[in-house]
């Protein structure tokens, strides 16, 4: 995997989108400082210091029509959980579709954005911010419960070492994911899901739906039992 290291950028996702035509498939771009990090919709991603990871992977699959793009963020959430569990001895959980939590606090955020040229998708910017070394006082400034690896383990994390572990694991399982889609990660994803069997509310494009989360489908969608009827959701946020 080719790696580009930037000192400062507005957003690594924006950098990848801007340079998508010249970037090779699976180029990883990370920055020490991100001045306008974005979340979904109009939300922001807080930069709480250069010892944290702001990374975007450029995905330019040959066969974009058959590429499991809708599940790419779930794939990355699984890869991150594997690294947190295997290499940092944490117990991460996934909140559908792709939030990764440790002790019920958000440790990372993932954002995928397609870039099109004349209506044809030419690549995907797959971004992730991971709180590696954020201190407790900086975490407290984030508007929702948040944590970092350091906050959980009291051990400093070497950013480049973490990046290498994440990218190696990403590459290791990527071929199977591209071939088989969500099904290739489903068992692991379900084993980490913290919402199944619970009464939850989800926000789907501004509409709130409440019910019991009964299962995740082979396509990574969430099935909610609402008034005894199973409804399947492909997008949304658990509140
Ligand atoms: C996300 O959005 O969680 C996706 C964040 C993606 C960030 C990466 S960093 C590299 C790349 N370049 C970018 O510009 N973006 C990507 P969302 O689900 O909308 O959650 C955003 C919410 O998470 C915010 O409204 C806060 O409540 C919370 N938040 C913001 N910064 C945080 C942080 N550092 N740690 C934990 N929670 C945070």
């Amino acid at each position: 995997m080719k790696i580009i290291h930037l000192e400062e950028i507005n957003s690594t996702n924006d950098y990848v989108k801007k340079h998508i035509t010249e970037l090779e498939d699976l180029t990883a771009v990370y920055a020490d400082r991100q001045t306008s990090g974005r979340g979904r919709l109009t939300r922001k991603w807080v930069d709480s210091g250069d010892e944290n990871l702001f990374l975007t992977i450029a995905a330019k699959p040959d066969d974009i029509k058959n590429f499991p793009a809708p599940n790419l963020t779930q794939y990355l959430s699984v890869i991150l959980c594997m690294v947190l569990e295997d290499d940092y001895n944490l117990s991460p959980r996934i909140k559908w579709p792709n939030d990764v939590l440790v002790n019920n606090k958000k440790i990372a955020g993932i954002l995928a954005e397609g870039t099109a040229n004349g209506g044809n998708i030419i690549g995907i910017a797959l971004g992730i911010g991971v709180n590696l070394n954020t201190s407790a006082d900086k975490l407290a400034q984030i508007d929702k419960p948040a944590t970092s690896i350091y906050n959980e383990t009291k051990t400093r994390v070497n950013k480049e070492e973490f990046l290498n572990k994440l990218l190696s694991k990403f590459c290791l399982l990527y071929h199977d994911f591209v071939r088989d889609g969500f099904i290739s990660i489903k068992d692991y994803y379900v084993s980490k899901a913290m919402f199944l069997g619970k009464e939850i509310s989800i926000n789907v494009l501004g509409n709130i739906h409440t019910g019991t989360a009964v299962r995740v489908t082979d396509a990574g969608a969430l099935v909610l039992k609402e008034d005894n009827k199973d409804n399947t959701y492909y997008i949304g946020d658990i509140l």
Side-chain angles (χ1 to χ4, degrees):
M1 210 164 183
K2 189 171 170 196
I3 299 180
I4 297 176
H5 178 206
L6 308 169
E7 282 184 4
E8 182 173 306
I9 194 76
N10 53 351
S11 152
T12 53
N13 266 37
D14 287 350
Y15 178 93
V16 164
K17 282 161 70 180
K18 191 169 161 198
H19 297 277
I20 194 77
T21 42
E22 67 257 25
L23 292 174
E24 282 171 25
D25 183 30
L26 298 187
T27 301
V29 178
Y30 76 106
D32 293 335
R33 286 180 300 283
Q34 189 172 243
T35 54
S36 309
R38 292 185 287 104
R40 287 170 297 159
L41 307 171
T42 57
R43 297 190 285 254
K44 292 185 170 29
W45 187 254
V46 175
D47 174 340
S48 45
D50 62 5
E51 289 305 303
N52 296 301
L53 186 66
F54 312 106
L55 165 73
T56 300
I57 298 169
K60 296 171 71 180
D62 295 334
D63 183 7
I64 198 127
K65 286 208 169 63
N66 291 311
F67 183 71
N71 301 110
L72 198 53
T73 59
Q74 289 170 313
Y75 175 68
L76 186 52
S77 71
V78 158
I79 296 300
L80 174 65
C81 284
M82 289 175 171
V83 171
L84 294 176
E85 190 170 35
D86 298 346
D87 298 309
Y88 297 89
N89 217 8
L90 293 171
S91 302
R93 308 299 302 269
I94 298 174
K95 184 172 154 192
W96 184 84
N98 57 50
D99 267 352
V100 176
L101 310 181
V102 173
N103 286 326
N104 273 325
K105 290 172 276 187
K106 187 157 161 164
I107 200 161
I110 300 173
L111 174 70
E113 298 175 293
T115 47
N117 194 347
N120 297 319
I121 296 274
I122 47 173
I124 299 162
L126 176 61
I128 181 169
V130 188
N131 298 328
L132 303 179
N133 292 299
T134 320
S135 59
D137 57 322
K138 288 208 171 136
L139 289 167
Q141 291 167 22
I142 297 170
D143 64 349
K144 295 263 177 65
T147 193
S148 66
I149 299 181
Y150 173 70
N151 193 48
E152 298 297 325
T153 62
K154 306 299 172 219
T155 306
R156 309 294 300 173
V157 178
N158 179 294
K159 183 165 63 177
E160 272 72 26
E161 205 176 288
F162 180 89
L163 177 68
N164 284 334
K165 288 183 200 301
L166 189 75
L167 297 180
S168 306
K169 189 71 97 184
F170 186 94
C171 291
L172 193 66
L173 303 181
Y174 191 69
H175 178 76
D176 287 356
F177 170 69
V178 172
R179 192 189 54 209
D180 302 333
F182 183 76
I183 202 84
S184 74
I185 52 162
K186 184 180 176 190
D187 287 349
Y188 186 90
Y189 183 95
V190 168
S191 77
K192 294 286 168 257
M194 45 92 74
F195 50 86
L196 289 175
K198 296 198 175 132
E199 179 83 1
I200 58 167
S201 293
I202 63 169
N203 181 343
V204 183
L205 303 173
N207 297 312
I208 310 297
H209 303 267
T210 300
T212 308
V214 284
R215 66 179 177 279
V216 173
T217 70
D218 288 353
L222 175 66
V223 180
L224 267 195
K225 191 176 274 305
E226 296 167 79
D227 300 328
N228 253 348
K229 188 169 176 287
D230 283 357
N231 295 321
T232 304
Y233 295 98
Y234 291 87
I235 54 164
D237 271 319
I238 296 180
L239 299 173

